[in-house]
Amino acid sequence: MSLDPQPVALIVEDEPSIRRFVRLGLEGEGWQVHEAETVRQGLVDAGTRRPDLVILDLGLPDDDGLNYLKDLRAWSGVPVIVLSARASEADKIAALDAGADDYLTKPFGVGELLARVRVALRRSQSAAKAGEPAQTLFRFGSVEVDLVARRVQRGGAPVHLTPIEYRLLTHLIANAGKVLTHRQLLKAVWGPSHMDDNHYLRVYMGNLRQKLEALPASPQHLLTETAVGYRLMP
Amino acid sequence: MSEERPDPDALLAQLRDEEINAARGKLRIYFGSSAGVGKTYAMLQAARKLQADGVDVLAGVVVTHGRSETAAMFEGLPQLPLKEVAYRGKTLPEFDLDAALARKPGLILVDELAHSNVAGSRHPKRWQDVEELLANGINVYSTLNVQHLESLNDVVGGITGVRVQETLPDTFFDRADEVVMVDTPADELLARLSAGKVYMGPQAERAARNFFRKGNLMALRELALRRTADRVEDDVQAWRSNERIAQVWKTEAAILCAIGPTPAAESVVRSAAQLAQQLNVSWHAVYVETPDLQRLPDAQRERILRVVRLAHELGANTAVLPAQDLAPALIQHAREHNLSKLMLGRAEALPAWQRWLGARELQQQLAEGAPELDLISVAATLPQVQRRAATAEQDARQREQQWQQLAGRYGLAAAACAATALISWPLQKAFDQSNIVMLFLLAVVGVALRLGRGPAVLASFLSVGLFDFFFVEPKLSFAVSDVQYLLTFAVMLAVGLVTGQLTAGLRYQAQVAADREGRSRALFELTSDLAGALQTEAVLQVAEATLATEVRGEALLYTLDLQDQLQPSPRLGSLPAADQPDLGTARWALDHGQAAGLSTDTLPGSAWFYLPLAAPMRTRGVLALKPLSNRSVMLPELRAQLETYARIIGQALERVHYVEVAQEALVHIEGERLRNSLLSALSHDLRTPLAVVYGLAQTLAGMAELPGHAHELSEALRQQSQRVSAMVNNLLDMARLQSGAVRLNLQWQPIDEVVGAALQAMQPSMAAHRLEVQIPAGLPLLNLDAVLMERVLCNLLENAAKYTPAGSLVVLSARLEPERLLLSVADNGPGLPAGREEQLFAKFTRGERESSTPGVGLGLAICRAIVEAHGGRIWAERGVEGGAAFVISLPLGEPPALLPEPELEPEEAQHEP
């Protein structure tokens, strides 16, 4: 495998100062950065620059960022991190359901952004290597999951999970680092007819934490994205 | 069957009655045939029994007449002290209505229902006091003798020869919830009387001689029993009507009572009331005011109006009809209102000369004009009340005045005829006799026009006489040479009489029409003037000016302010202090929705008349009037006119009120819109530059090539921008919560998850503190807005971190109680300022006044707003760790059921629908 050329990032954001420090941060990590100020320009750049990552502001002057996301997802699977000035959780959920990988609420720190960028990049790279044999062993904290043998161990001791708990865990593992909305998880684990039974998801998530987290009340890996969904942080 | 089906209107009326009755107190009347039968005793006996059952009984006024048995029964009952009322230099004890209303007992005893209060009391009659007690939900027991019933007044007077002044309207008696007949046979009563148990000492002798004769007592007993039987029958009918009410709710009126100008009218009205009550129909009473009657002296007209009022009190629909002739007016009214029986006092036979002239008695006219009407003529008994000498003298003077007026009118008519003769005398050389006749006819028309009917008749006859005497050969003699003049005379007389009558009638009708037109024009003008008024002041000004003219006196309006208090219009200042209306009476009129003051039931002695200004939504104020003559408030038409004025003014005030409300609402909506756009602008325009500052500062801090102190500075920059950002968030959230723009996104979730998310978010700020989490397993799900509740916990944790020294212990715990879950954030820091725990939750309040700790004191206010939106409570207390503790209590509710997981292998589960 040849050495990767500089990865390319596209920032779609109308506020020049934000573009500026995001660009500074990304360039510090070795990214080549392109900027777009509008949805239209952003779509053109996404087609021509072939970016490895898109950072998208939802409040753009010419159109809603959500529409950009829908258009982009029609032909590209590039990781997208959404920036939102709005406090409304509904916007974030809509963005994630429309295919965004992660979101950040303003104001955000560069460190926070870069951490999310790394996770997104890792995920897209592992997806690109889909042809290779899948990872059979997944670890987070003191927990080890053997995806082939369907075995879960915590600190070396076996942990018994119910089938639904196990399915929930494997789905989180498959999307490690990514925020999964309640609907996405419910659909994947319980099926499309249970998409509104949020409390089931919450109860099973609580059970998983009880079984896998050191301090279930203050989880370190199975994180809550309040009112949006969950994320597994390895 | 359709006719068996209850009339919906009647059912509604019944429901409405029941609703009113439910709030009203209940009235029980102990009813007897005469004094001494033991009514008060029976009442006290019943009251004692209720008192023993725990009812709050109060003796408002009980008259024992010194009877020992009654006095013994009375002892031990709580008594309301009587009020001393000053009257003509003496003080008289009187029932204290206000004290009774203030005390509000469960049952009050008010003896002698028909008693007249001392002049100057709120109501002239005691039964009106009782009415007010009932309206205020107080139950009343009272007593009544049969001779005090208004409709039986004449009958009893006729039997016993003693007339009582104190009467009770039958309508009030019939509305009583229960009537208990207290019966004692005549012999026993006489025995008790002779034993001295009824009256004491010499009183007994006198009473026995005048009243307590066996015949009297038996007749009275029969009357009382019969009246009670009538009532019982009514009760039975009312009870039956619950099954099928069609027969009881007779709404069509059947009786028309004609009120004449004679003093006997009163007894006719009473008879009509009695008949109507027996037939269970509504009735009308009208007074037809002919031109002659209109010329009666004021005192007599007022007396007639009092009879009209009496009819009204006895339950009649009353009207005063201005008309030329009695019979057609009565017939028209009867036909218009579908009244089948006409009741009138038996008139004296007409003098022979009138009958000879073709005049017919009223009854005859009615019988010919309306054969379908039943005529009932009633014996017209004159009231035997002795008039005081002063009034007799006054009457004589008035009669004299009336005579003088009459003589003057006829004298003028004669003078007019003489003047015509005088003028015509020199003209007879030049003019034909037929023209002279024309001049005389002109004079007759003139007399009819100016002086009315009677003088016109006189003028007709005089004209013929004068013409014959002065102008027909042989002149200066009544002899006639040519027989054809007889025809001239006959035609002249006929034409004179007919045109005179027509002209006089026309004149009266024109006058009536002009009056009516004037009234409707005044209404029209008031309505159109008020339509243009957009402010309360303008309404007041227009209304007061119109009404002052209308009653030819003073008018003043009271309006309700925002605190529901009556405010007089600015005009009050221009009235002399002694002549101002009374605010208390105005308030009474407002509260009771009834007219008060001058010639009403309430404070009839006052100079002002008070009318509530009713409007569709509520009563808007009170109209106070001081008319020039009582007539304008006593005459039913004028009274109705005033009530219409009051309604129009009330509606105008209401309209103005709603205009103001609408304007306020508009301002409010505009304000709301402005606030919302301001909020979203703020949230975008403040957060974006903050995000930039924050991001740039962090970028700067991460640059390796910067010198050490620059790193520190950029770090400080980052921290401060983060704080500003938190503050902006708090401010915007508070604004949103307060404007009601936040809609809770409630979902059932475990509290652990919210706590976990809050701890995760607060990790950096809590790094310097020891944190302990005590959340028991197995807590039920709560219906929460996770974002807002996380906000609450974050604020509490942030406070704990901010106000305690580094290294302090912070404990976040949850506890389950029945019906609620308690969440507490406690620390072992310096604690809260004592006594200021509640103040902390106010906006912009902080524990220490001036300190370096950042924040504007919104955090706790936001917490409270959020928790209360969830139906919970939040408070501060001294924590177990010695420091501050903030406790949130949240209601548990009923979480949705959770189906147990089917034990299926993951592959199989995939195929679930």
Side-chain angles (χ1 to χ4, degrees):
Chain A
M1 195 168 157
S2 65
L3 193 74
D4 268 339
Q6 262 190 318
V8 178
L10 174 63
I11 310 173
V12 189
E13 159 70 82
D14 60 327
E15 184 61 44
S17 307
I18 292 184
R19 289 205 303 270
R20 187 144 158 243
F21 78 77
V22 170
R23 167 190 276 273
L24 276 173
L26 285 173
E27 281 175 352
E29 296 262 305
W31 288 76
Q32 188 193 343
V33 180
H34 294 285
E35 294 177 17
E37 281 186 47
T38 60
V39 164
R40 186 194 300 261
Q41 182 63 37
L43 280 172
V44 171
D45 282 358
T48 54
R49 308 283 186 191
R50 295 274 158 196
D52 299 292
L53 172 76
V54 174
I55 293 174
L56 170 70
D57 182 21
L58 282 180
L60 288 168
D62 61 335
D63 199 355
D64 195 332
L66 272 182
N67 291 337
Y68 177 91
L69 204 52
K70 282 173 191 156
D71 286 353
L72 182 71
R73 276 287 172 262
W75 50 269
S76 167
V78 57
V80 177
I81 297 176
V82 167
L83 304 180
S84 165
R86 309 176 203 180
S88 166
E89 272 57 38
D91 290 343
K92 295 172 190 165
I93 294 172
L96 291 168
D97 281 342
D101 290 77
D102 211 336
Y103 67 87
L104 277 169
T105 306
K106 293 176 185 178
F108 56 90
V110 184
E112 226 176 328
L113 172 70
L114 293 179
R116 304 284 169 96
V117 167
R118 271 179 230 122
V119 170
L121 198 65
R122 201 183 310 140
R123 273 180 30 72
S124 75
Q125 279 168 354
S126 65
K129 295 179 216 152
E132 296 169 26
Q135 234 179 333
T136 58
L137 226 56
F138 189 90
R139 287 195 186 86
F140 59 92
S142 61
V143 177
E144 194 182 273
V145 184
D146 186 335
L147 294 169
V148 177
R150 296 176 172 277
R151 223 176 18 235
V152 183
Q153 287 185 317
R154 183 174 149 210
V159 179
H160 174 73
L161 295 185
T162 67
I164 287 185
E165 284 166 6
Y166 183 74
R167 219 175 323 149
L168 182 59
L169 181 63
T170 51
H171 195 74
L172 283 166
I173 288 172
N175 293 280
K178 186 177 189 283
V179 179
L180 295 170
T181 64
H182 293 131
R183 286 170 66 83
Q184 286 169 344
L185 280 169
L186 281 164
K187 190 178 173 187
V189 179
W190 277 269
S193 60
H194 290 277
M195 302 243 285
D196 292 320
D197 295 341
N198 277 356
H199 57 284
Y200 276 91
L201 177 56
R202 292 195 160 100
V203 168
Y204 280 94
M205 204 64 201
N207 293 347
L208 266 188
R209 282 186 181 133
Q210 291 288 343
K211 290 177 180 175
L212 303 179
E213 287 278 0
L215 286 169
S218 145
Q220 299 302 311
H221 303 286
L222 297 165
L223 303 184
T224 304
E225 294 291 328
T226 308
V228 174
Y230 296 98
R231 179 212 300 268
L232 176 69
M233 273 313 258
Chain B
M1 274 192 281
S2 67
E3 54 188 47
E4 302 248 321
R5 201 185 305 148
D7 176 10
D9 286 343
L11 273 176
L12 271 180
Q14 196 188 19
L15 281 177
R16 206 162 40 235
D17 280 358
E18 274 167 16
E19 226 166 78
I20 293 167
N21 281 342
R24 262 177 79 90
K26 299 266 177 276
L27 172 65
R28 175 189 279 191
I29 297 177
Y30 287 87
F31 186 56
S33 58
S34 80
V37 293
K39 298 179 302 295
T40 308
Y41 186 84
M43 174 175 81
L44 288 170
Q45 207 170 19
R48 287 204 88 102
K49 206 164 159 225
L50 282 176
Q51 193 192 24
D53 290 347
V55 176
D56 178 17
V57 179
L58 178 71
V61 53
V62 173
V63 188
T64 58
H65 292 294
R67 294 165 200 160
S68 56
E69 289 167 15
T70 317
M73 193 53 103
F74 184 37
E75 251 165 50
L77 275 178
Q79 291 177 45
L80 188 73
L82 294 177
K83 189 170 62 173
E84 297 291 330
V85 180
Y87 180 67
R88 296 194 178 174
K90 289 180 285 185
T91 56
L92 298 169
E94 202 48 89
F95 171 57
D96 194 346
L97 176 60
D98 288 314
L101 287 174
R103 165 85 163 64
K104 209 170 188 339
L107 170 71
I108 190 163
L109 310 180
V110 183
D111 213 353
E112 299 190 349
L113 193 53
H115 173 82
S116 294
N117 290 332
V118 177
S121 304
R122 184 186 307 169
H123 301 296
K125 299 283 190 179
R126 183 169 286 165
W127 66 265
Q128 289 163 333
D129 291 345
V130 169
E131 172 69 32
E132 198 162 338
L133 288 170
L134 294 171
N136 280 283
I138 300 172
N139 297 327
V140 181
Y141 280 8
S142 191
T143 64
L144 182 75
N145 283 334
V146 67
Q147 75 258 37
H148 293 293
L149 267 181
E150 181 77 58
S151 64
L152 297 176
N153 195 338
D154 290 336
V155 184
V156 175
I159 295 169
T160 60
V162 178
R163 254 188 117 78
V164 286
Q165 297 282 356
E166 304 184 326
T167 55
L168 177 81
D170 292 56
T171 43
F172 190 77
F173 179 75
D174 291 334
R175 276 215 316 275
D177 300 275
E178 289 170 315
V179 170
V180 177
M181 172 86 193
V182 181
D183 186 36
T184 308
D187 286 331
E188 196 184 319
L189 187 57
L190 285 172
R192 286 174 60 180
L193 188 73
S194 57
K197 283 182 180 168
V198 177
Y199 283 124
M200 306 298 283
Q203 258 189 328
E205 307 253 327
R206 216 177 56 232
R209 263 205 315 278
N210 286 335
F211 191 82
F212 287 88
R213 280 176 302 186
K214 191 169 176 183
N216 274 357
L217 293 179
M218 275 160 59
L220 286 173
R221 188 168 172 228
E222 187 190 341
L223 269 179
L225 283 168
R226 197 176 282 173
R227 190 67 178 76
T228 315
D230 284 353
R231 241 202 77 96
V232 170
E233 195 178 309
D234 285 352
D235 286 349
V236 169
Q237 273 196 5
W239 177 77
R240 271 198 198 137
S241 72
N242 286 339
E243 307 290 320
R244 198 184 62 227
I245 59 170
Q247 287 139 6
V248 180
W249 291 94
K250 272 185 206 155
T251 46
E252 77 274 24
I255 298 173
L256 173 63
C257 168
I259 296 173
T262 60
E266 227 176 288
S267 70
V268 178
V269 163
R270 286 211 181 90
S271 308
Q274 222 175 337
L275 184 65
Q277 196 252 330
Q278 278 162 9
L279 296 177
N280 193 19
V281 290
S282 68
W283 59 293
H284 286 229
V286 296
Y287 167 56
V288 181
E289 194 168 49
T290 61
D292 290 338
L293 296 176
Q294 212 176 29
R295 278 190 285 269
L296 290 175
D298 276 349
Q300 209 172 333
R301 284 170 76 188
E302 220 160 84
R303 189 177 50 71
I304 294 166
L305 289 180
R306 268 202 296 279
V307 177
V308 175
R309 246 197 99 60
L310 170 75
H312 181 77
E313 271 169 18
L314 290 171
N317 295 314
T318 55
V320 173
L321 310 170
Q324 181 76 28
D325 287 305
L326 275 174
L330 286 174
I331 291 168
Q332 198 192 350
H333 189 88
R335 284 184 180 156
E336 265 173 19
H337 294 87
N338 196 20
L339 308 167
S340 59
K341 292 183 174 54
L342 206 159
M343 201 156 179
L344 58 172
R346 196 176 298 139
E348 286 170 29
L350 285 173
W353 64 271
Q354 278 192 9
R355 209 168 322 157
W356 182 75
L357 282 174
R360 282 161 312 155
E361 275 151 6
L362 178 60
Q363 293 206 20
Q364 208 179 338
Q365 291 177 38
L366 288 169
E368 283 167 17
E372 82 278 9
L373 272 183
D374 294 344
L375 291 180
I376 303 168
S377 77
V378 194
T381 29
L382 285 172
Q384 298 162 344
V385 182
Q386 289 165 352
R387 288 170 167 260
R388 286 205 304 278
T391 36
E393 202 175 291
Q394 213 171 17
D395 274 5
R397 208 179 319 127
Q398 268 174 0
R399 245 194 311 276
E400 204 175 308
Q401 271 176 4
Q402 204 180 335
W403 266 111
Q404 279 172 3
Q405 208 188 358
L406 206 64
R409 280 167 55 225
Y410 282 91
L412 269 180
C417 293
T420 313
L422 209 65
I423 293 166
S424 308
W425 181 252
L427 296 179
Q428 60 176 321
K429 305 277 187 294
F431 290 98
D432 207 17
Q433 272 174 340
S434 57
N435 288 326
I436 307 281
V437 171
M438 289 300 163
L439 280 179
F440 274 105
L441 285 179
L442 182 67
V444 172
V445 170
V447 166
L449 204 58
R450 304 297 307 171
L451 303 170
R453 213 184 241 203
V457 173
L458 176 71
S460 300
F461 281 101
L462 269 181
S463 296
V464 173
L466 289 170
F467 178 70
D468 179 15
F469 194 76
F470 290 108
F471 302 94
V472 175
E473 296 294 337
K475 287 175 186 172
L476 299 177
S477 135
F478 284 114
V480 177
S481 57
D482 197 340
V483 184
Q484 66 174 320
Y485 277 112
L486 289 178
L487 181 66
T488 312
F489 295 156
V491 171
M492 188 176 165
L493 184 66
V495 171
L497 282 172
V498 170
T499 47
Q501 294 304 301
L502 284 178
T503 315
L506 220 56
R507 169 174 160 261
Y508 184 66
Q509 270 161 13
Q511 201 183 325
V512 169
D515 278 358
R516 274 197 196 133
E517 200 239 325
R519 262 183 255 153
S520 41
R521 195 180 53 234
L523 263 183
F524 171 73
E525 278 170 7
L526 179 69
T527 316
S528 59
D529 284 354
L530 285 179
L534 280 176
Q535 280 169 325
T536 311
E537 291 73 33
V539 172
L540 296 183
Q541 212 175 353
V542 168
E544 280 171 352
T546 309
L547 282 160
T549 328
E550 177 73 18
V551 301
R552 284 175 289 152
E554 297 287 352
L556 186 84
L557 284 175
Y558 288 90
T559 47
L560 276 181
D561 65 7
L562 293 173
Q563 283 77 44
D564 239 14
Q565 296 299 311
L566 280 178
Q567 293 298 335
S569 82
R571 233 179 92 86
L572 184 73
S574 67
L575 295 173
D579 208 16
Q580 288 183 351
D582 172 44
L583 183 63
T585 320
R587 185 78 220 182
W588 191 94
L590 178 84
D591 291 344
H592 292 73
Q594 284 173 10
L598 185 61
S599 79
T600 63
D601 295 340
T602 310
L603 293 173
S606 71
W608 288 80
F609 173 70
Y610 303 84
L611 256 185
L613 301 173
M617 297 307 290
R618 59 164 307 175
T619 309
R620 294 277 159 198
V622 174
L623 163 68
L625 290 173
K626 191 182 172 210
L628 185 69
S629 88
N630 292 359
R631 202 175 142 79
S632 53
V633 293
M634 281 184 81
L635 203 65
E637 274 72 26
L638 292 182
R639 178 81 171 263
Q641 174 92 351
L642 289 179
E643 276 162 12
T644 311
Y645 280 135
R647 262 197 299 279
I648 290 173
I649 297 167
Q651 278 164 9
L653 285 174
E654 187 156 284
R655 181 174 52 78
V656 170
H657 171 76
Y658 281 117
V659 166
E660 281 164 11
V661 168
Q663 273 170 349
E664 260 170 45
L666 209 62
V667 169
H668 185 73
I669 290 169
E670 274 305 312
E672 200 64 21
R673 193 176 301 156
L674 195 69
R675 190 189 346 212
N676 280 338
S677 54
L678 196 70
L679 276 180
S680 55
L682 268 181
S683 108
H684 183 263
D685 295 356
L686 278 173
R687 275 183 181 144
T688 307
L690 273 170
V692 173
V693 172
Y694 183 79
L696 285 178
Q698 218 194 14
T699 313
L700 204 59
M703 286 182 172
E705 60 269 32
L706 283 186
H709 61 272
H711 272 285
E712 274 169 38
L713 287 179
S714 60
E715 176 57 23
L717 198 60
R718 190 190 63 80
Q719 278 184 6
Q720 290 306 320
S721 59
Q722 196 176 14
R723 276 179 189 152
V724 174
S725 169
M727 247 182 268
V728 167
N729 280 343
N730 268 345
L731 276 170
L732 290 174
D733 282 357
M734 194 68 221
R736 278 217 186 82
L737 281 167
Q738 283 214 317
S739 66
V742 171
R743 201 164 292 131
L744 295 186
N745 173 25
L746 294 177
Q747 289 187 354
W748 291 97
Q749 46 205 316
I751 192 75
D752 328 34
E753 191 173 302
V754 182
V755 170
L759 291 175
Q760 189 186 327
M762 294 309 292
Q763 233 166 13
S765 327
M766 299 292 297
H769 291 73
R770 286 183 295 134
L771 186 71
E772 226 174 79
V773 182
Q774 302 168 353
I775 301 208
L779 290 179
L781 299 184
L782 290 176
N783 204 15
L784 297 176
D785 184 317
V787 178
L788 292 178
M789 202 45 74
E790 184 185 325
R791 195 65 203 281
V792 172
L793 290 175
C794 285
N795 278 349
L796 293 181
L797 289 171
E798 195 187 344
N799 273 353
K802 234 164 40 176
Y803 292 104
T804 56
S808 304
L809 178 69
V810 179
V811 180
L812 201 170
S813 59
R815 186 153 48 93
L816 190 63
E817 285 192 358
E819 304 292 314
R820 62 178 189 171
L821 183 93
L822 293 183
L823 267 178
S824 108
V825 176
D827 61 53
N828 63 352
L832 297 167
R836 287 191 59 211
E837 287 87 351
E838 267 307 294
Q839 261 183 41
L840 289 172
F841 291 95
K843 267 175 281 176
F844 308 113
T845 307
R846 302 172 56 188
E848 307 151 46
R849 291 226 167 265
E850 291 296 325
S851 82
S852 57
T853 321
V856 288
L858 267 177
L860 287 176
I862 290 173
C863 289
R864 170 157 285 184
I866 293 173
V867 171
E868 284 176 357
H870 279 85
R873 287 201 313 120
I874 180 169
W875 66 92
E877 59 185 35
R878 171 163 282 277
V880 268
E881 314 291 338
F886 289 89
V887 186
I888 302 166
S889 126
L890 290 169
L892 286 184
E894 302 224 353
L898 213 56
L899 295 174
E901 182 184 342
E903 282 295 324
L904 291 173
E905 284 305 299
E907 284 80 8
E908 291 171 65
Q910 287 292 336
H911 302 296
E912 269 184 327

